[in-house]
Amino acid sequence: MSTAPLVTASPTAEPLANLLFDHPGADIILRSQDSSLFRVPKIYIVNSSPILGDVIRRTLDPPRNANAGASLPVVQLPESGEILHHLFTFIFPVTPLLPSTPEEIMELLSLAQKYQMGTALTHIRGSIAQQNSLPTGLEPALHSYALAQKYGLRPEALQTARTISLKQSMTIEDLDNKLDIMPGSSLYELLKYHERVRAILASDLAEFTVSRARRTITGLRCAELSSSQIPSWLDEYIESIAENPNLFDSAELNTAMARHLGDGNRECCRCASIPSQTIRDFWEALASVVHGSFEKAESTLSLVRERENPQAEINSATCPLEPFDVPDADLVIRSSDCVDFRVHKPVLSMSSPFFKDLLSLPQPPDGESVDGIPVVRLPEGSELLNCLVSMLYPVRTVIPNSYDKVLYLLAACQKYEMTSVQSFIRSEVKRGEFPTPTGVEAYPAYAIASRTGLIPEMESAGRQTLNHPMTFEILGEGLRLFEGWALSALVSFRKRCRDCLIACLDSYLVLQRPGPSSIWVGCPEVTRVTPVRASYRVDHTLPKWLDHVISQNRDDLKLQNFTHPLDIDSRMPGEYLNALQTHLDCKFCLRVHAAKGLKYCAELTNKLAQVGDKLTRFLYLSSITRFTSYRYAASTTLSLD
């Protein structure tokens, strides 16, 4: 922690409005970032925090000011006066004061943790528990979990993670409009924890079912017993908790019993007369197993700040670099992993306005140099710089070995304003000379492009994601690369594409004149008009075989938006021809197919394929909107529900 030098302040010069603490016997003044003053006895601070104690001792011993006895010494702290005021109420014998918002509460805990104030930290957590200041609702719990991850507070992260797992099944559909609450790295840790909880629950509940469960409900007679000799409905309920921990709720237990009794078992089953004490005993036994499983899973949850930067893993060199040392070099650029590249200043200046301005500045006389050549340090790794420098000289171009590295290379060009190099890289990607994303690599490609501001690559990768399911299992560790707003924008893009695909199919499901499907008027075997499509002005309806193809795809889109690909255009021609094979006895449809059928199918396929292409602009606008909202939310205070 950095502190300002010791200064002397006259008491009359201290603004009374900023004097937040004036403790009797004060022998030091702590000054906040916003110039709030705390006149306190240093013994309280030294005994509460070894970190601040060291700062104070280094500042006061030996005295730096000959007139120090004339007034109290002042030590500068980097925190705001408001948060320090809350912290000191848990150190001094005054009424402890908790902040009013979860953001500030987490900041307070983080500050006490930073200064190693163990007693104060325990006191703060006790006050939080007494005032129920941590949320129980899903959305505020997600907010608090994100804040706990941000500030590195493991107990709070675990507490809110358990709350979330007990209230929500963790799928993209479930978290839909809440995905922008936290970065993908925090969400990834939450999902790992949730999956581990489910695995441990499955094992512990299976053991509970064959042992303790039967003992808690002795003497119960049911018409349907499971192999564990407990009512089947109860066995099924216990098993369901392992798959969805959010079903662990007494209301869900009562619902399961009511469903069982409502299935015609009321007259012959004794479950309706289970004593209330038996139900309580069973619930307590079940609760002990569930909570024990959560405790076993605690080690799974990691704090994001404990992990290495995923970008650093991606940018790490995979093989030794060949030395890049051009003749008559007059500049050394040094990578983040301390590899030197000897280059020419004019070459950098011509390719980059950024370097042109940088190199035009006067060099400090004591600046770093190698063999008399000045050194400029850059934050990029040696593997990336090796690729970049090779594109500035007439030498063999070093090609990145993966598309994610291409993206980081493009991002470096964008940062250094190397527009011609960036254009060259994009042209090489189009020609297939540089790597391109394949399969589900589109997801991490979108994540990297969105966070680095590469709009064309973001739109292209976003379009490619439609060809694959979008689930947390598919995203895998790539989820760590996502910003929350980018993941939320991609989900909105996918939903908008689905809606447009459904609308396109709807326009082909009716035989309006004129209309794309009017060529099929005349088939003797047609499908009746359903209420779903009754709002259309329908003159005729589709032949059954064609209606089935289009309707099935339409219904699948509604039910399988995230678990299946949305590239129905690639499947449509084959499904069309297969369905026609079941209708070969209809001469009318065969004549229409021979004359216009293939063109009809091609037009439908093209319209479906164009949906994603036309909506890439929506993806860009949605990303901008969500990023702006994210930045605004980050600058305001979150409130608990």
Side-chain angles (χ1 to χ4, degrees):
M1 183 193 69
S2 61
T3 58
L6 179 70
V7 296
T8 328
S10 168
T12 58
E14 298 163 2
L16 294 180
N18 290 343
L19 188 59
L20 299 184
F21 259 75
D22 192 5
H23 199 283
D27 54 4
I28 194 171
I29 295 176
L30 302 179
R31 182 167 58 199
S32 69
Q33 183 186 37
D34 50 0
S35 299
S36 296
L37 303 178
F38 300 84
R39 297 167 57 94
V40 296
K42 65 175 178 292
I43 188 65
Y44 278 91
I45 306 298
V46 171
N47 289 341
S48 300
S49 167
I51 304 297
L52 288 178
D54 288 343
V55 171
I56 291 173
R57 279 190 288 270
R58 287 197 305 268
T59 304
L60 301 183
D61 188 23
R64 298 184 183 180
N65 193 303
N67 299 319
S71 61
L72 299 183
V74 178
V75 173
Q76 182 77 40
L77 297 180
E79 289 78 25
S80 71
E82 183 178 4
I83 198 66
L84 286 173
H85 180 250
H86 286 293
L87 178 64
F88 291 157
T89 65
F90 288 91
I91 295 176
F92 295 98
V94 297
T95 302
L97 181 62
L98 273 180
S100 59
T101 68
E103 172 77 41
E104 292 171 333
I105 288 174
M106 293 296 181
E107 185 182 359
L108 177 63
L109 287 166
S110 175
L111 187 58
Q113 182 171 276
K114 167 187 172 182
Y115 288 135
Q116 298 180 14
M117 296 178 169
T119 302
L121 199 58
T122 301
H123 194 182
I124 295 169
R125 285 177 170 142
S127 296
I128 292 171
Q130 289 179 356
Q131 299 184 24
N132 297 316
S133 295
L134 286 181
T136 56
L138 175 62
E139 188 159 350
L142 286 167
H143 278 295
S144 289
Y145 168 79
L147 291 170
Q149 280 283 6
K150 172 183 176 182
Y151 289 113
L153 300 167
R154 183 172 178 78
E156 286 67 33
L158 283 169
Q159 181 178 344
T160 48
R162 177 182 292 199
T163 298
I164 295 164
S165 287
L166 286 172
K167 288 184 175 294
Q168 188 73 57
S169 54
M170 304 291 288
T171 66
I172 288 182
E173 294 95 323
D174 296 324
L175 297 177
D176 185 359
N177 59 349
K178 305 176 184 67
L179 290 169
D180 55 355
I181 288 177
M182 69 185 79
S185 53
S186 298
L187 180 57
Y188 175 78
E189 297 301 334
L190 180 61
L191 288 166
K192 278 207 318 177
Y193 167 80
H194 181 76
E195 287 301 313
R196 183 59 178 157
V197 164
R198 286 173 54 185
I200 295 175
L201 268 176
S203 175
D204 290 353
L205 290 175
E207 182 181 349
F208 171 76
T209 301
V210 299
S211 57
R212 296 175 59 191
R214 186 179 179 185
R215 294 199 301 269
T216 62
I217 51 176
T218 55
L220 178 63
R221 296 180 181 178
C222 179
E224 299 178 5
L225 294 178
S226 70
S227 59
S228 304
Q229 296 303 300
I230 64 174
S232 294
W233 67 268
L234 195 56
D235 195 332
E236 293 169 0
Y237 170 69
I238 296 173
E239 186 178 349
S240 70
I241 296 174
E243 185 66 24
N244 294 300
N246 57 298
L247 295 178
F248 175 64
D249 188 284
S250 57
E252 293 289 345
L253 175 64
N254 292 331
T255 299
M257 180 189 293
R259 188 182 304 114
H260 165 68
L261 295 174
D263 291 339
N265 297 316
R266 183 177 294 276
E267 299 299 329
C268 59
C269 185
R270 300 292 183 86
C271 291
S273 58
I274 300 177
S276 57
Q277 184 59 47
T278 299
I279 293 293
R280 285 195 294 271
D281 291 344
F282 168 78
W283 188 255
E284 289 177 4
L286 179 62
S288 68
V289 173
V290 172
H291 292 308
S293 298
F294 273 92
E295 290 174 1
K296 293 177 185 178
E298 287 184 352
S299 61
T300 307
L301 185 67
S302 299
L303 297 179
V304 172
R305 61 172 58 183
E306 296 173 352
R307 282 184 168 271
E308 293 182 359
N309 183 355
Q311 180 173 333
E313 296 173 9
I314 289 173
N315 281 338
S316 61
T318 57
C319 57
L321 296 175
E322 298 179 4
F324 195 95
D325 187 2
V326 297
D328 303 321
D330 57 359
L331 180 70
V332 171
I333 55 176
R334 180 168 294 167
S335 67
S336 59
D337 49 347
C338 297
V339 175
D340 289 346
F341 297 83
R342 298 188 178 220
V343 295
H344 299 107
K345 291 181 182 179
V347 173
L348 279 184
S349 298
M350 285 190 296
S351 61
S352 166
F354 174 90
F355 281 109
K356 181 179 180 181
D357 293 340
L358 177 67
L359 298 175
S360 66
L361 299 174
Q363 299 298 315
D366 56 347
E368 191 174 5
S369 64
V370 174
D371 298 331
I373 303 175
V375 175
V376 173
R377 290 181 175 268
L378 297 180
E380 286 75 25
S382 57
E383 186 178 10
L384 187 151
L385 288 181
N386 194 40
C387 295
L388 183 60
V389 171
S390 74
M391 297 176 193
L392 304 180
Y393 286 89
V395 297
R396 180 181 62 85
T397 299
V398 178
I399 301 175
N401 57 18
S402 65
Y403 186 67
D404 49 18
K405 293 176 182 178
V406 171
L407 291 172
Y408 285 120
L409 186 58
L410 285 168
C413 291
Q414 189 157 288
K415 179 172 71 170
Y416 297 128
E417 304 174 55
M418 295 180 169
T419 55
S420 60
V421 179
Q422 192 177 56
S423 297
F424 168 75
I425 296 171
R426 283 174 171 154
S427 66
E428 292 299 283
V429 170
K430 288 182 179 179
R431 291 197 318 119
E433 297 298 321
F434 278 23
T436 56
T438 59
V440 294
E441 289 178 358
Y443 287 106
Y446 167 83
I448 296 170
S450 63
R451 73 189 299 171
T452 54
L454 299 170
I455 303 305
E457 287 71 28
M458 182 193 74
E459 293 180 344
S460 175
R463 173 67 180 87
Q464 291 181 54
T465 63
L466 300 179
N467 301 333
H468 310 281
M470 184 179 180
T471 64
F472 287 132
E473 291 75 18
I474 292 292
L475 294 177
E477 289 218 9
L479 180 60
R480 295 167 56 201
L481 298 170
F482 276 86
E483 299 291 347
W485 60 266
L487 183 60
S488 182
L490 190 61
V491 168
S492 294
F493 170 66
R494 193 178 187 93
K495 290 166 63 178
R496 176 65 68 92
C497 288
R498 175 208 52 196
D499 293 343
C500 290
L501 289 171
I502 290 174
C504 179
L505 293 175
D506 275 342
S507 69
Y508 277 78
L509 275 171
V510 293
L511 296 180
Q512 294 172 302
R513 292 181 182 275
S517 296
S518 59
I519 61 173
W520 300 103
V521 173
C523 176
E525 185 180 353
V526 297
T527 304
R528 293 182 180 179
V529 180
T530 64
V532 174
R533 300 189 291 276
S535 60
Y536 289 93
R537 180 180 64 81
V538 180
D539 298 325
H540 301 275
T541 53
L542 283 179
K544 286 184 178 180
W545 66 273
L546 185 57
D547 182 272
H548 176 76
V549 172
I550 299 178
S551 297
Q552 187 64 53
N553 277 284
R554 179 188 187 278
D555 295 341
D556 287 347
L557 284 170
K558 284 189 170 183
L559 299 174
Q560 303 171 351
N561 182 30
F562 294 100
T563 57
H564 288 71
L566 298 190
D567 58 342
I568 61 174
D569 56 287
S570 64
R571 305 191 302 268
M572 186 59 66
E575 292 180 6
Y576 166 88
L577 292 174
N578 289 338
L580 181 62
Q581 294 298 315
T582 67
H583 195 62
L584 294 178
D585 56 343
C586 178
K587 295 181 180 179
F588 173 81
C589 287
L590 289 179
R591 286 197 304 270
V592 173
H593 169 70
K596 303 177 181 179
L598 292 178
K599 180 181 178 182
Y600 168 86
C601 184
E603 289 177 348
L604 172 57
T605 300
N606 289 336
K607 286 187 177 181
L608 293 171
Q610 291 170 8
V611 166
D613 297 332
K614 290 180 178 179
L615 286 176
T616 52
R617 185 63 180 173
F618 168 81
L619 176 59
Y620 168 71
L621 295 174
S622 177
S623 298
I624 294 298
T625 301
R626 291 175 186 276
F627 175 70
T628 303
S629 300
Y630 163 78
R631 291 295 297 271
Y632 174 76
S635 64
T636 58
T637 304
L638 299 173
S639 60
L640 285 172
D641 289 351

